[in-house]
Amino acid sequence: MSSSVSVANEGGIAIVTIDNPPVNALSFHVREPLMQALIALRDDASVAAIVIACAGRTFVAGADITEFGKPVRQPDLRAIVATLEAIAKPTVAAIHGTAFGGGLELALGCHFRVADQGAKLGLPEVKLGLLPGGGGTVRLPRLVGAAKALKMIVSGTPIGADEAHGAGLVDAVFAGDLSTRAVNFVREIARKGGPFTPVRDRDELLRGTDLAAFDAEAADLAGKARGLEAPMACVQAVRNAVTLPFDEALAAERALFAKLVASDQSRAQRHLFFAEREAAKLPGNVVKRRIARVGVIGAGTMGGGIAMAFANGGFPVTLLETSQEALRRGLATIEKNYAVSVARRSLSEDAKRQRLGQFKGSIDHADLADCDLIIEAAFEDMAVKKEIFGKLDAVAKPGAILATNTSYLDIDEIAASTSRPQDVLGLHFFSPANVMKLLEIVRAQKTAPDALATVVDLARRIGKVAVVVGVCHGFVGNRMLAARGSELEALLLEGAAPTQIDKAFTDFGWPMGPFQMGDLAGLDIGWRNRKARGLTAVIADTLCEQGRFGQKTGRGFYLYENGSRTPVPDPEVEALIRDKAAEKGIAPRTISADELIERTLYPLVNEGAKILEEGIAARASDIDVVWVNGYGFPVGKGGPMFWAGLEGGARIVERLEYWHERTGKDVFKPAPLLKRMAETGSWEAGSTAGIRG
């Protein structure tokens, strides 16, 4: 038998063990010996029952997605499951760790499923722009009902062993030695005798399906899909399980899968899957520093959110403020945020108490002396930050990592204000920091490799998606954001309304447009940043001078009446734009949606190319991870650099050159790397520079 599949016999009970580290993916070199083992055991009269188990830390956690889009080598998963279902003797899947995707579909081919208490089960293919292609959409509804299956498959969110047991997906949950318990479980079943009904023949739950309620739930899910094809295909596949005979529904599932796997959306989502994992890899194998306690300076919106992120990850946190009143306010806000989670039932009262117990408040820098990582989240001002780091230099213990949460400022300059620049780096969290997944980790010129490796690992432990970037104004995300927004004021003055520009963005797939986003974040943030750099924006600056900061003041580019978060077009803003255009002698004209994209998203891609050329990002895919996880770039388009390939590099270059000739603005001057990408179709030329400190 292959080294990836082994068979043992315990008193007539065959245990088939899959061993394909790290996650027992169902690669061809696993499927082939697995099929051979099942056929041999099916025909072996000395075997009374079969247990399918896995070595290592998990059950089969999915298919081998590197095989997607390539010719399928037989046996495929569907053939293995069909063989399993035809075995007359009882079969049981013994699930520990995770049974995801193809792993759960394999388990659905067994007559029974047992799990240990920590197991999680799910069909997350929708997150790769796919649906379960091994019969999951047709079999799962037969065990848990159409409504539960719809929710599980369309969300892709796994469920725990106890919930799976209650839903009918798992037949028993065990503590202790799962393999022994599974053998005893199936031995007793074999002793009682069959026949044993395969999942495909269990129609009882489907016969009672309320299709009207199902369709209503499906319509609600469609509204949340925001243009993604896979969730809608999942809905159709589960509905087919209810309305079509099994084999017809199975064939329809396969057809839907084949269509999705060839789509640009699934290619984009699979690209992001690998990109996130690649972004977290660092060269070399350095020993990481031990992080037991985290200090956070500043208990405002950012500092409080950062502190919550670490408390949620199980780390004790010392939260420092300048006064007892500011500290009391910050801790009260944190408690309120946790109370909201309890009210929404996303957090238990016990978990809330446990997390609040992780916080120690202080107004004395000396209380940071026992912290292994200290993050400064104070006002975005270089003098303020240098003063703080000077104080940290005096109190932080040797080897403590000192991090700044700056969004723009030069971290090399901050590091130079200490005697230990090797311990200084940037941790740019995104607001709200306890919710947003992205963490830009900024490597300064003198940052030590072990400090960098420590925070990359730490990001994973607190549930963040980490991307390592180099030092420049705005790093990767905010530098590209500035390029994306550089033409917004010009577009307004030339005749495009805020509503028109925002609609072009939401039609593209963004969750909201740039003016809605500005109002949500607060227009005063950009105003302060512009003033610090000697820049102006005639419309936005005037709005801020009028006290119109966005949602928090009830007025910005839009009106927000009676505390509403719904933007309403404001005639005063439209009049302001017309007046400013007239002052500059600009005659309004009709501007197309195509032009809006060309003058905002093409410069975004162009700036990304410059960032790659300069070595600020190591890979084009790192930039995609930043923009999808931090700025809402549509998942189905894979990030700006992947989307540039779909859009066509040659077209982007041609249109940038057109706008550069027409306006003379540097933001439109195509980067050399973008021109090379237009010729070769690849960003690879820019991916070898590494991260420049």
Side-chain angles (χ1 to χ4, degrees):
M1 190 57 62
S2 159
S3 61
S4 60
V5 176
S6 61
V7 178
N9 192 312
E10 290 195 14
I13 307 298
I15 304 173
V16 181
T17 302
I18 297 169
D19 188 4
N20 182 30
V23 295
N24 292 315
L26 286 174
S27 312
F28 169 72
H29 73 273
V30 172
R31 298 195 305 272
E32 186 177 49
L34 178 59
M35 178 69 113
Q36 292 169 357
L38 292 175
I39 290 171
L41 294 171
R42 176 194 66 191
D43 299 335
D44 186 342
S46 70
V47 171
I50 301 169
V51 174
I52 296 181
C54 288
R57 58 187 172 89
T58 183
F59 192 72
V60 174
D64 181 350
I65 71 170
T66 63
E67 296 180 0
F68 289 174
K70 299 176 182 176
V72 179
R73 299 176 71 184
Q74 295 297 333
D76 65 2
L77 175 59
R78 287 153 49 89
I80 292 171
V81 172
T83 298
L84 255 178
E85 286 186 320
I87 295 175
K89 53 192 83 173
T91 57
V92 61
I95 298 168
H96 75 291
T98 55
F100 288 167
L104 182 54
E105 289 177 305
L106 176 68
L108 290 170
C110 295
H111 297 111
F112 305 97
R113 284 144 299 284
V114 299
D116 75 7
Q117 289 179 316
K120 292 190 175 298
L121 302 87
L123 295 171
E125 287 87 346
V126 70
K127 296 178 181 178
L128 297 177
L130 299 169
L131 53 65
T137 67
V138 193
R139 291 185 179 88
L140 184 62
R142 285 171 157 76
L143 289 180
V144 303
K148 179 73 171 178
L150 180 73
K151 184 176 180 182
M152 286 180 64
I153 294 171
V154 173
S155 73
T157 304
I159 61 175
D162 288 336
E163 184 179 347
H165 187 211
L169 175 54
V170 164
D171 297 283
V173 177
F174 296 130
D177 184 348
L178 180 63
S179 180
T180 299
R181 303 295 293 273
V183 167
N184 293 340
F185 174 89
V186 79
R187 190 189 303 281
E188 180 61 21
I189 286 170
R191 187 186 64 76
K192 292 177 181 176
F196 307 104
T197 307
V199 173
R200 63 170 290 149
D201 294 334
R202 303 183 197 177
D203 294 334
E204 302 84 2
L205 286 177
L206 297 186
R207 287 197 290 270
T209 301
D210 181 343
L211 271 179
F214 179 93
D215 289 341
E217 176 68 15
D220 182 53
L221 293 167
K224 298 172 184 173
R226 288 223 320 263
L228 292 175
E229 297 160 2
M232 296 302 91
C234 290
V235 168
Q236 184 58 53
V238 176
R239 197 178 199 282
N240 290 340
V242 179
T243 60
L244 298 178
F246 181 88
D247 287 324
E248 287 182 33
L250 195 64
E253 177 196 82
R254 196 62 192 172
L256 287 166
F257 179 87
K259 182 179 177 183
L260 289 173
V261 82
S263 70
D264 286 343
Q265 282 195 4
S266 181
R267 283 178 53 220
Q269 289 178 256
R270 297 195 314 265
H271 159 76
L272 289 169
F273 176 86
F274 288 114
E276 286 189 11
R277 281 144 188 80
E278 196 67 25
K281 293 178 183 175
L282 293 175
N285 187 24
V286 299
V287 176
K288 300 174 185 69
R289 303 184 191 185
R290 179 175 176 269
I291 305 294
R293 173 173 282 276
V294 175
V296 178
I297 300 175
T301 301
M302 278 308 303
I306 292 168
M308 287 178 70
F310 282 99
N312 295 349
F315 290 90
V317 178
T318 299
L319 188 59
L320 187 84
E321 255 298 354
T322 54
S323 69
Q324 286 290 355
E325 175 56 26
L327 183 63
R328 185 198 61 75
R329 246 190 342 263
L331 290 170
T333 299
I334 289 169
E335 186 164 6
K336 180 182 173 185
N337 289 338
Y338 281 132
V340 169
S341 297
V342 171
R344 289 176 177 165
R345 298 187 177 178
S346 59
L347 193 70
S348 70
E349 191 66 48
D350 280 349
K352 172 191 160 187
R353 277 195 296 271
Q354 188 177 26
R355 291 181 187 182
L356 286 171
Q358 300 276 43
F359 292 93
K360 180 177 90 173
S362 175
I363 58 170
D364 184 354
H365 279 77
D367 285 337
L368 298 172
D370 63 344
C371 294
D372 306 289
L373 166 67
I374 304 170
I375 304 166
E376 165 275 314
F379 193 65
E380 194 81 350
D381 179 274
M382 180 60 81
V384 170
K385 292 186 185 293
K386 287 167 85 167
E387 181 186 351
I388 290 171
F389 272 78
K391 291 178 180 176
L392 289 181
D393 205 24
V395 301
K397 65 185 180 182
I401 297 172
L402 310 182
T404 173
N405 180 56
T406 180
S407 305
Y408 295 95
L409 299 177
D410 185 341
I411 296 171
D412 288 325
E413 186 178 341
I414 294 171
S417 68
T418 76
S419 63
R420 47 173 108 182
Q422 73 279 3
D423 296 330
V424 178
L425 45 73
L427 290 180
H428 180 207
F429 287 82
F430 286 68
S431 186
N434 54 307
V435 175
M436 293 291 285
K437 290 184 69 175
L438 179 66
L439 179 57
E440 271 187 317
I441 298 176
V442 190
R443 178 183 192 167
Q445 194 170 11
K446 295 183 178 177
T447 302
D450 65 332
L452 188 68
T454 300
V455 295
V456 169
D457 180 64
L458 197 60
R460 176 189 56 79
R461 290 164 65 189
I462 63 170
K464 300 299 181 188
V465 175
V467 180
V468 178
V469 302
V471 174
C472 65
H473 184 79
F475 317 126
V476 168
N478 283 338
R479 175 174 162 180
M480 290 176 69
L481 184 66
R484 191 192 79 169
S486 63
E487 282 288 275
L488 290 174
E489 290 258 331
L491 287 165
L492 290 176
L493 293 168
E494 290 171 36
T499 49
Q500 181 195 357
I501 296 172
D502 282 348
K503 184 177 186 302
F505 271 67
T506 54
D507 286 350
F508 183 85
W510 297 88
M512 62 179 66
F515 298 109
Q516 287 176 276
M517 188 70 238
D519 277 359
L520 177 63
L523 300 180
D524 52 321
I525 296 172
W527 188 37
R528 274 202 310 269
N529 186 45
R530 285 191 298 275
K531 286 196 287 189
R533 302 184 68 205
L535 303 175
T536 60
V538 61
I539 307 297
D541 288 354
T542 304
L543 292 177
C544 289
E545 287 160 8
Q546 295 173 354
R548 302 179 63 123
F549 296 154
Q551 286 191 18
K552 59 188 171 187
T553 57
R555 300 185 311 159
F557 278 99
Y558 296 96
L559 282 175
Y560 302 88
E561 296 166 331
N562 302 320
S564 169
R565 291 182 175 271
T566 303
V568 176
D570 188 347
E572 288 185 18
V573 173
E574 294 165 13
L576 170 66
I577 294 168
R578 286 196 302 271
D579 290 346
K580 294 295 183 183
E583 285 176 18
K584 292 178 175 291
I586 301 171
R589 61 183 176 85
T590 300
I591 297 178
S592 69
D594 284 345
E595 180 178 336
L596 296 176
I597 296 299
E598 289 174 10
R599 291 174 65 182
T600 55
L601 301 193
Y602 287 8
L604 176 76
V605 171
N606 195 39
E607 198 66 30
K610 295 175 187 176
I611 281 168
L612 282 175
E613 286 174 338
E614 296 168 20
I616 299 298
R619 294 164 286 259
S621 59
D622 286 0
I623 295 173
D624 290 333
V625 172
V626 166
W627 271 84
V628 168
N629 288 283
Y631 295 85
F633 195 96
V635 169
K637 289 184 167 68
M641 310 311 275
F642 184 87
W643 170 73
L646 299 178
E647 184 80 348
R651 171 178 166 75
I652 294 174
V653 168
E654 185 269 320
R655 296 309 293 165
L656 284 171
E657 287 176 337
Y658 169 83
W659 290 110
H660 185 242
E661 184 179 343
R662 183 163 169 175
T663 68
K665 295 177 180 177
D666 284 347
V667 75
F668 292 123
K669 186 178 181 180
L673 180 59
L674 178 58
K675 289 185 173 182
R676 286 202 297 275
M677 179 268 184
E679 293 168 1
T680 65
S682 170
W683 291 110
E684 283 304 307
S687 65
T688 56
I691 301 294
R692 191 185 72 186

